[in-house]
């Protein structure tokens, strides 16, 4: 590997490690596996594939056609279309958009048709 490429990869890895502070995560872009314990996260890249590890604060999706899996969040806000999201635990869910498929293992209790045009359900 060329020294310049190696330096760029090393810098990218260091930047990822530095991002693990207590400050909110302003934006997550693909590819992303992010430790977000105690932090708010915003995902704004269309088509991204994101994995959030830990007990996150508020998770906000402002994108279309993303795939997201998260361990836990205090809230999940989706402002976009055609997203596929699974989360192990979430306290509150809000959705703007259509064609979103959201599942969770535990947490939010929603009316059957709380967000028309979307599929939201506890995982079976």
């Amino acid at each position: 590997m060329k020294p310049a490429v190696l330096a760029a990869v090393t810098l990218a890895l260091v930047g990822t490690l530095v991002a693990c502070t207590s400050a909110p995560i302003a934006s997550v872009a693909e590819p992303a596996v992010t430790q977000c314990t105690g932090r708010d996260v915003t995902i704004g890249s269309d088509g991204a594939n994101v994995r959030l590890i830990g007990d996150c604060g508020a998770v906000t999706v402002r994108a279309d056609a993303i795939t997201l899996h998260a361990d836990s969040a205090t809230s999940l806000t989706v402002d976009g279309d055609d997203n596929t999201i699974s989360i192990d635990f979430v306290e509150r869910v809000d959705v703007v958009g259509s064609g979103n498929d959201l599942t969770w293992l535990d947490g939010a209790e929603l009316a059957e048709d709380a967000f028309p045009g979307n599929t939201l359900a506890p995982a079976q």
Side-chain angles (χ1 to χ4, degrees), residues 60-110:
T60 303
V61 174
R62 290 192 179 121
D64 298 326
I66 68 139
T67 300
L68 167 66
H69 179 78
D71 290 341
S72 174
T74 57
S75 66
L76 172 64
T77 302
V78 179
D79 185 358
D81 300 320
D82 303 315
N83 296 298
T84 301
I85 300 170
S86 64
I87 189 165
D88 293 344
F89 176 84
V90 63
E91 294 176 21
R92 178 186 167 139
V93 175
D94 292 300
V95 180
V96 175
S98 64
N100 296 295
D101 182 11
L102 284 70
T103 57
W104 60 93
L105 295 177
D106 194 16
E109 297 290 330
L110 298 175

Side-chain angles (χ1 to χ4, degrees), residues 2-61:
K2 293 183 178 185
V5 174
L6 183 58
V9 170
T10 302
L11 183 58
L13 289 173
V14 169
T16 300
L17 294 174
V18 170
C20 294
T21 66
S22 61
I25 301 170
S27 181
V28 174
E30 188 180 25
V33 174
T34 301
Q35 175 69 26
C36 65
T37 300
R39 297 185 292 164
D40 296 343
V41 180
T42 299
I43 301 165
S45 299
D46 290 346
N49 185 357
V50 178
R51 172 76 169 97
L52 300 176
I53 299 171
D55 296 326
C56 305
V59 174
T60 303
V61 174

